[in-house]
């Protein structure tokens, strides 16, 4: 009884605090450590530092459960009541669900025997309604709607510490057959080496920071222009993620194929690395990352994309900028020999724990051989996290100025639900 009273006292003291000095991120380094009892900004706490470049299907390493979960009702989960209590009280919840899905703890299954140790299915819906205001008129349409069904978990292998993840897209695309777009992710992760995760299968490739970021975690409704043109693709192969106090990296080799159209049209190298100069300061001065990336491969012809990035987080504020230049590319918008480059800078600030304000400047030159091929986009946005990234609403205004097309204004309203 005495131990229970002490735990309750610590719990109420923790939940009565104001903003934390720095959001808490779980990483590979946390495997041998208990969870920190610190508040986080909703929408920021469910991003795994060790997999910052590739979050789709990433599973946070095991953490020992320290206390029982509180009784949270169905209404509490939907409306986000007792978020701090819910997130802190269950170390198992944080360890097993990077998405922070509303029903993650209910859908988690553990097996006593067999090769599979545990399993956790989850469902993701993302909707985007856009209102386009052009010189010749006004129209609305749905963009980038997605419905995903996923299963992730662990194999019963204590030596290799192997996870698995499958993410399936349930909506076909008009320009590809259903099978080519059905599999989003299909991989296993081996975590036997300290500070490292080895991926085998089909997964996101780190072509730039935002170009390799999970669609569930991007800050605005549309990716930056360099991410849309150069990255946001998946490859079949292998990669290794390493994470230390002062450096992290994501390096791999994959097929240059996209969406299972060819077996092996060529080989592609993908690498992204960041230095963390403030990594030994325990977040006192914030978190700073400086790095570069390289994507080089062959598919009909050779292509190369080089990128640099800067990321800084301090308390409620975050600033990101990225530059990329290509000599041909093989990104989301297709294979091209055009030599292009682009730059974007994004600033964000948490007005409250659940409301985030964002602004972005984004410029892209689709062909450096032509001087008048620049497109500039100016974006302002609001994110409202009802239940972290598991239930959020996003509102964006985008003004686009192009040297070869008419200017446009666009208002986008999006939502994301992870069950």
């Amino acid at each position: 009884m005495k131990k229970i009273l002490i735990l309750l006292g610590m719990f109420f003291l923790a939940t009565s605090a104001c903003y934390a000095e720095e959001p808490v991120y779980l990483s590979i380094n946390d495997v041998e450590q208990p969870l920190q009892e610190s508040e986080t900004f909703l929408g920021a706490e469910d991003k795994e530092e060790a997999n910052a470049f590739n979050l789709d299907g990433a599973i946070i390493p095991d953490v020992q459960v320290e206390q029982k979960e509180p009784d949270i009702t169905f209404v509490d989960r939907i409306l986000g009541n007792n978020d701090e209590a819910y997130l802190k009280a269950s170390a198992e919840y944080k360890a097993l669900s990077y998405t922070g899905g509303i029903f993650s703890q209910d859908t988690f299954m553990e097996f006593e025997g067999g090769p599979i140790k545990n399993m956790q299915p989850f469902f993701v819906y993302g909707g985007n309604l856009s209102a386009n205001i052009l010189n010749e008129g006004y129209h609305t349409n749905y963009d980038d709607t997605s419905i995903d069904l996923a299963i992730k978990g662990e194999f019963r292998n204590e030596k290799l510490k192997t996870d698995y993840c499958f993410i399936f897209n349930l909506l076909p695309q008009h320009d590809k057959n259903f099978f080519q777009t059905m599999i989003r992710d299909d991989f296993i992760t081996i975590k036997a080496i300290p500070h490292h995760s080895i991926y085998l299968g089909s997964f996101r490739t780190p072509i730039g920071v935002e170009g390799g970021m999970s669609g569930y975690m991007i800050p605005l409704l549309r990716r930056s222009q360099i991410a849309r043109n150069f990255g946001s693709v998946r490859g079949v192969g292998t990669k290794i993620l390493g994470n230390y106090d002062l450096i992290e990296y994501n390096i791999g080799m994959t097929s240059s194929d996209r969406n299972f159209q060819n077996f092996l049209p060529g080989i592609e190298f993908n690498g992204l690395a960041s230095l963390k100069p403030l990594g030994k300061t325990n977040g006192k001065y914030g978190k700073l990352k400086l790095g570069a990336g390289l994507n080089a491969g062959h598919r009909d012809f050779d292509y190369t994309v080089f990128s640099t990035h800067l990321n800084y987080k301090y308390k409620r504020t975050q600033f990101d900028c990225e530059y990329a230049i290509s000599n041909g590319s093989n990104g989301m918008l297709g294979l091209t020999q055009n030599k292009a480059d682009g730059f974007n800078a994004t600033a964000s600030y948490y007005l409250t724990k659940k409301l985030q304000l964002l602004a972005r400047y984004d410029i892209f030159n689709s062909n450096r051989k032509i001087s008048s091929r620049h497109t500039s986009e100016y974006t302002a946005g609001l994110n409202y996290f009802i239940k972290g990234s598991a239930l959020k609403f996003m509102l964006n205004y985008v003004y686009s100025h192009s040297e070869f097309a008419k200017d446009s204004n666009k208002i986008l309203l999006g939502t994301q639900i992870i069950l």
Side-chain angles (χ1 to χ4, degrees), residues 15 27 31 52 58 99 109 128 137 147 173 186 192 199 207 239 269 363:
T15 55
S27 73
V31 175
T99 61
M109 296 172 281
N128 180 350
I147 299 177
Q173 295 183 13
D186 174 11
Y199 284 66
I207 305 176
K239 68 176 181 178
F269 169 83
I363 185 169

Side-chain angles (χ1 to χ4, degrees), residues 130-348:
S130 65
N132 299 278
I133 306 170
L134 302 172
N135 291 336
E136 65 273 13
Y138 167 85
H139 69 275
T140 61
N141 62 280
Y142 285 96
D143 296 325
D144 304 322
T145 299
S146 63
I147 299 177
D148 294 344
L149 180 63
I151 300 173
K152 60 189 180 72
E154 298 173 294
F155 289 110
R156 196 180 303 279
N157 191 319
E158 300 301 328
K159 292 183 178 180
L160 291 179
K161 300 179 181 178
T162 306
D163 304 331
Y164 62 89
C165 180
F166 304 95
I167 301 181
F168 302 99
N169 171 33
L170 303 184
L171 290 181
Q173 295 183 13
H174 68 278
D175 57 339
K176 299 179 181 67
N177 66 52
F178 183 70
F179 175 76
Q180 289 176 330
T181 60
M182 178 182 68
I183 299 177
R184 288 196 185 275
D185 286 301
D186 174 11
F187 60 82
I188 63 172
T189 310
I190 301 172
K191 300 179 294 185
I193 305 173
H195 303 285
H196 290 83
S197 296
I198 301 172
Y199 284 66
L200 300 170
S202 174
F203 44 75
R204 282 190 175 274
T205 54
I207 305 176
V209 174
E210 190 171 330
M213 188 182 294
S214 167
Y216 307 153
M217 304 300 295
I218 57 175
L220 296 167
L221 281 165
R222 299 187 70 189
R223 295 181 187 269
S224 66
Q225 294 185 81
I226 59 175
R228 299 199 301 262
N229 285 273
F230 299 153
S232 191
V233 293
R234 290 167 168 84
V236 177
T238 183
K239 68 176 181 178
I240 181 168
L241 278 69
N243 185 38
Y244 294 88
D245 289 338
L246 298 178
I247 188 172
E248 64 183 32
Y249 47 85
N250 185 335
I251 300 172
M253 299 288 289
T254 62
S255 168
S256 60
D257 178 38
R258 300 290 184 254
N259 298 111
F260 304 100
Q261 299 179 61
N262 302 105
F263 176 65
L264 189 63
I267 299 296
E268 182 176 85
F269 169 83
N270 302 289
L272 194 64
S274 298
L275 297 176
K276 300 186 284 187
L278 304 178
K280 295 288 188 179
T281 63
N282 295 321
K284 182 178 181 181
Y285 307 103
K287 293 186 177 182
L288 175 65
K289 294 181 183 180
L290 302 165
L294 176 65
N295 166 242
H298 177 87
R299 182 183 165 196
D300 297 336
F301 52 83
D302 294 337
Y303 56 87
T304 305
V305 178
F306 175 77
S307 64
T308 60
H309 60 268
L310 180 149
N311 167 270
Y312 180 67
K313 305 173 186 176
Y314 183 69
K315 296 184 178 180
R316 306 188 197 185
T317 305
Q318 179 168 330
F319 177 77
D320 303 275
C321 65
E322 190 169 11
Y323 171 78
I325 185 169
S326 75
N327 185 9
S329 60
N330 188 17
M332 181 176 68
L333 297 186
L335 183 68
T336 178
Q337 289 183 297
N338 286 351
K339 297 181 178 181
D341 69 341
F343 169 82
N344 64 81
T346 306
S348 63

